[in-house]
Amino acid sequence: MLKIDNLRVNYGGIEAVKGVSFEVPDGSIVTLIGANGAGKSTTLRSIVGLVKAAEGSSITLDGEELIGMDTPDIVKKGISLVPEGRRVFPDMTVIENIKIGAYLRNDSIEEDIERVHALFPRLKERSWQLAGTLSGGEQQMLAVARALMSKPKILMMDEPSLGLAPIIVKNIFSIIKEINKQGTTVLLIEQNANMALHVADYAYVLETGKITMTGTGKELLADESVKAAYLGKKSN
């Protein structure tokens, strides 16, 4: 569905992403893991046009080139990003935040509001509460719900577990699996490599702007170098 080929991104003379290539098959969960500064967030931001890719890069969705398109047009094509840090609108209510995710649509959104309320019952309970008064976990749920309102083919998530308690992280990953089960392809970047690899069909290790390893989630979970670098353990 989504194909990234030779993606390069420069920041003021510094090459942050150095010829990255990978694919996100339809219906899958794909994860990019790596340390801070590896280029993971830059990769996602370039896919939705928030960061300009260098000449020679290619990003295609169902065979259509996305580089050069404006971000709203890319969203209309079917890609939505849940940004790092959640970025909810704190002075708007929960339901207003949810509805703003559908701002590019011109069809009925009521069925999709029901869908996100089914995924996140707590958001329905807090519909008229200001988003800025929610807990971190609730704000992450709201950020995901807002992104789903654009009816994406691919939901991209940037560090969804960041700053959350372990029990909330477990809940977020259960929801990621449910979203995928309902038919949405997921591209996930995550510092919690253990959780990410457990849910991922395919995984890529990104180090200093380059992909250094690829495999299924299970394969990378079992790899000794991945265990040592990202899972904090080695097998005896």
Side-chain angles (χ1 to χ4, degrees):
M1 177 182 281
L2 180 66
K3 185 174 181 179
I4 287 79
D5 188 39
N6 192 36
L7 177 63
R8 294 181 297 111
V9 181
N10 300 313
Y11 281 135
I14 298 172
E15 196 171 22
V17 179
K18 306 171 184 177
V20 163
S21 299
F22 65 93
E23 294 185 6
V24 182
D26 188 12
S28 66
I29 299 178
V30 173
T31 187
L32 304 179
I33 64 171
N36 275 337
K40 303 187 305 297
S41 292
T42 300
T43 297
L44 293 199
R45 289 170 61 82
S46 65
I47 291 170
V48 290
L50 294 171
V51 173
K52 185 178 179 181
E55 189 174 340
S57 305
S58 176
I59 302 170
T60 57
L61 179 66
D62 295 328
E64 183 176 6
E65 183 62 59
L66 300 182
I67 290 178
M69 285 189 188
D70 293 332
T71 298
D73 293 324
I74 294 172
V75 174
K76 286 179 182 178
K77 293 292 182 184
I79 301 179
S80 189
L81 173 64
V82 181
E84 181 181 354
R86 303 181 272 279
R87 306 285 182 91
V88 299
F89 297 98
D91 297 325
M92 296 172 64
T93 65
V94 169
I95 191 63
E96 286 171 339
N97 269 269
I98 288 172
K99 287 180 176 180
I100 208 168
Y103 79 102
L104 291 174
R105 293 173 53 182
N106 55 16
D107 58 338
S108 174
I109 65 172
E110 295 308 315
E111 188 175 321
D112 294 291
I113 291 174
E114 289 179 11
R115 178 195 176 199
V116 298
H117 280 164
L119 280 169
F120 307 105
R122 197 172 301 179
L123 297 182
K124 185 175 182 180
E125 295 169 7
R126 288 159 170 70
S127 285
W128 302 107
Q129 188 170 324
L130 291 179
T133 66
L134 298 177
S135 69
E138 290 165 345
Q139 288 189 15
Q140 184 63 65
M141 293 175 190
L142 180 56
V144 175
R146 180 181 61 192
L148 287 172
M149 288 300 295
S150 68
K151 298 179 73 173
K153 297 176 182 177
I154 298 179
L155 181 68
M156 303 198 306
M157 307 181 77
D158 190 348
E159 303 285 6
S161 77
L162 191 66
L164 301 181
I167 191 168
I168 304 298
V169 172
K170 188 175 181 180
N171 186 31
I172 291 292
F173 273 87
S174 293
I175 290 165
I176 290 171
K177 288 193 289 185
E178 179 59 29
I179 289 168
N180 179 247
K181 185 179 176 182
Q182 291 182 8
T184 303
T185 303
V186 176
L187 175 56
L188 169 71
I189 65 172
E190 180 56 68
Q191 284 191 54
N192 188 332
N194 186 50
M195 293 291 288
L197 292 175
H198 269 98
V199 302
D201 299 301
Y202 306 99
Y204 298 85
V205 177
L206 199 60
E207 295 180 350
T208 59
K210 294 181 179 179
I211 288 176
T212 58
M213 193 177 300
T214 181
T216 66
K218 287 181 179 179
E219 286 170 346
L220 293 196
L221 272 173
D223 186 273
E224 295 299 328
S225 61
V226 172
K227 288 180 182 180
Y230 301 107
L231 305 180
K233 58 186 178 182
K234 293 183 180 179
S235 294
N236 294 327

